[in-house]
Amino acid sequence: MSLDTESFELLLATVQRFIHERLVPAENTVEELDEVPADIVEDMKEMGLFGLSIPEEYGGIGLSMSQECQVAFELGQTALAFRSVFGTNVGIGSQGILMDGTEEQKREFLPRVASGELIMSFALTEPDAGSDAAALKTRAELDGDCYVLNGVKRFITNAPRAGAFTLMARTGGEGAGGISSFIVPSNLPGISLGKPDKKMGQRGTKTCDVILENVRVPAANIIGGVPGKGFKTAMKVLDRGRLHVSALSCGVAQRVLNESVAYARERKQFGQRIGDFQLVQAMLADSQAELYAGWSMVQDCARRYDAKPAGKSDPDVSMRASCAKMFCTEMVGRVADRGVQVHGGAGYINEYKVERFYRDVRLLRLYEGTTQIQQLIIGRELMRRD
Ligand code: COS
């Protein structure tokens, strides 16, 4: 699946213009209000951003992974809250249905996901199951033609906006094999939301707990219709998500580098531009080289992702997606840190924006699998090979 080159170039140019003309000027508003303005969300729907990764037959734009990464790179160049509005529809919220859902489930949900009418959110993490996702405790007991769900999901991105969750719960015994993925409409009786999480950064993104108390979900809402396959669905979704986050990280690195170069050209000390000092140039050079390495990794891995059969898992590609996630999210942390350093005292002041990106990118090393989980996946795969 991919969009033809001409249409894709047009889309990319439109996204670039949208970021430059609409999103960057609204960054301060998002930071102040902790909210993405409704008119911007409407524009995003009109542009088709909610359906970037959904095939055309289900109402989306149908980008390949390589194309999606290019769009994610652009979106990284503004406040991450903007992408977050539709990020779960493009990635972790919808992909389980697309990869493993029945044809009926795809037809029922994906067109509304693609249009932005239905916000999807991904509910895996729990108070006692973060990195150890297979230890999740949310129970799903079969009762007639419904499952009854009880449990708590934590740090759920877009939960306050969601019309439905892709939610992992335990239908069987211990471990990964006992987990199923459900499509859970958010308006079912027994679902309530916790208080909005107060976060270090990424103002304008919405996360909170999702509490399930005797929620009756039709058995027909198990993704793919077969219980016990939910953990693998979640892992496949995360492989893909990790690559998207890697591309996003490169985008933020590009923005911070642009801000840093602009400041180094303008700011004068000791009678000259600070960018003419080699010690400042060294910081810019390190950031540029690391960004280039990260982006090359993303492009290579995305090509490999597109080359494998759709919806199937390939341990080599999963391992490389973890390499990209680990390298790019750590890389953008270093780039943001240098960005603050190049700005000197101004880098600590909110008005100069690098301070904001410095806080915002900290999350990238945590969600969709911490750096340590990526190391574990890479190391295990290397040890598994003959
Ligand atoms: N694609 C498809 N299947 C996969 C897979 C992948 N990428 N990774 C694992 N699986 C399968 C395994 O093959 C195994 O199947 P079998 O039982 O048939 O052999 C099953 O899933 C269990 O896998 P594994 O034994 O590797 O599970 P572990 O509990 O050891 O944990 C990690 C695996 C740590 C990698 C997993 O729990 C993980 O990714 N944790 C981080 C979770 C995360 O990213 N959370 C973020 C929340 S969303 S923002």
Side-chain angles (χ1 to χ4, degrees):
M1 174 178 83
S2 72
L3 190 62
D4 68 89
T5 310
E6 200 181 321
S7 308
F8 179 66
E9 294 302 331
L10 205 64
L11 172 77
L12 203 59
T14 309
V15 169
Q16 284 164 339
R17 207 168 45 247
F18 182 60
I19 290 169
H20 188 68
E21 291 173 6
R22 295 275 282 131
L23 303 189
V24 172
E27 284 172 354
N28 287 343
T29 308
V30 171
E31 187 73 10
E32 277 156 31
L33 302 182
D34 194 15
E35 195 68 69
V36 174
D39 57 329
I40 290 184
V41 177
E42 285 312 306
D43 288 350
M44 289 169 170
K45 286 183 186 168
E46 231 162 79
M47 287 170 69
L49 296 180
F50 287 81
L52 289 173
S53 61
I54 295 172
E56 283 178 89
E57 57 178 311
Y58 304 114
I61 293 183
L63 299 187
S64 66
M65 197 63 216
S66 298
Q67 292 172 331
E68 184 185 320
C69 284
Q70 287 184 63
V71 175
F73 180 90
E74 299 300 333
L75 292 164
Q77 295 184 53
T78 184
L80 293 176
F82 293 118
R83 186 216 62 112
S84 181
V85 172
F86 55 88
T88 49
N89 276 33
V90 170
I92 55 178
S94 71
Q95 288 297 316
I97 304 176
L98 190 60
M99 288 172 181
D100 289 339
T102 62
E103 192 52 40
E104 212 180 327
Q105 289 168 344
K106 291 180 196 180
R107 299 223 167 270
E108 184 180 346
F109 291 99
L110 293 180
R112 286 185 293 141
V113 175
S115 68
E117 180 194 333
L118 180 69
I119 303 293
M120 291 294 299
S121 151
F122 182 75
L124 175 66
T125 300
E126 297 183 357
D128 295 322
S131 290
D132 188 5
L136 65 82
K137 289 184 185 149
T138 295
R139 288 286 333 166
E141 306 279 0
L142 190 59
D143 179 27
D145 57 1
C146 280
Y147 279 90
V148 181
L149 269 60
N150 281 287
V152 177
K153 295 291 176 180
R154 180 137 294 173
F155 308 143
I156 304 306
T157 302
N158 274 342
R161 297 172 173 133
F165 301 98
T166 296
L167 186 144
M168 273 51 72
R170 191 168 297 285
T171 48
E174 301 267 290
I179 296 171
S180 302
S181 290
F182 288 87
I183 305 166
V184 181
S186 62
N187 60 1
L188 291 181
I191 296 184
S192 57
L193 300 181
K195 282 190 298 211
D197 297 322
K198 290 184 183 166
K199 301 184 289 296
M200 178 193 284
Q202 298 214 9
R203 285 177 62 77
T205 61
K206 302 290 169 193
T207 66
C208 68
D209 279 3
V210 178
I211 302 137
L212 303 125
E213 288 169 304
N214 295 321
V215 181
R216 292 186 72 81
V217 181
N221 282 27
I222 286 194
I223 292 181
V226 186
K229 308 234 181 257
F231 187 78
K232 287 187 188 175
T233 300
M235 291 300 112
K236 287 193 287 181
V237 165
L238 284 171
D239 282 345
R240 200 179 173 289
R242 287 165 184 162
L243 200 41
H244 180 107
V245 170
S246 310
L248 193 67
S249 302
C250 292
V252 187
Q254 184 68 68
R255 168 73 185 272
V256 172
L257 185 57
N258 293 347
E259 297 277 349
S260 305
V261 170
Y263 190 78
R265 282 187 180 146
E266 174 201 300
R267 171 82 176 158
K268 290 203 172 73
Q269 285 294 279
F270 303 103
Q272 64 183 40
R273 304 185 307 176
I274 62 167
D276 291 328
F277 290 108
Q278 290 183 345
L279 289 179
V280 172
Q281 286 176 6
M283 287 191 274
L284 300 176
D286 284 351
S287 292
Q288 174 61 63
E290 287 197 58
L291 165 58
Y292 183 43
W295 183 234
S296 303
M297 212 183 249
V298 171
Q299 286 182 303
D300 174 70
C301 187
R303 263 195 304 274
R304 291 171 191 267
Y305 191 95
D306 286 329
K308 74 176 178 55
K312 293 264 177 286
S313 168
D314 176 336
D316 182 64
V317 177
S318 302
M319 189 268 282
R320 288 173 196 272
S322 286
C323 290
K325 164 77 164 65
M326 176 177 85
F327 183 82
C328 295
T329 60
E330 293 283 335
M331 175 274 290
V332 71
R334 292 190 293 272
V335 170
D337 187 64
R338 287 186 204 110
V340 171
Q341 198 67 19
V342 168
H343 279 71
Y348 205 66
I349 305 296
N350 186 269
E351 193 189 321
Y352 284 87
K353 295 203 178 169
V354 285
E355 172 270 341
R356 216 176 283 172
F357 284 109
Y358 178 83
R359 286 183 289 111
D360 288 355
V361 298
R362 191 62 186 83
L363 181 60
L364 301 172
R365 287 151 66 186
L366 305 173
Y367 69 6
E368 304 205 16
T370 60
T371 292
Q372 289 65 34
I373 286 295
Q374 310 314 323
Q375 287 174 319
L376 183 152
I377 292 170
I378 299 161
R380 277 203 324 199
E381 173 56 17
L382 294 176
M383 293 307 289
R384 199 190 59 82
R385 292 177 177 183
D386 294 331

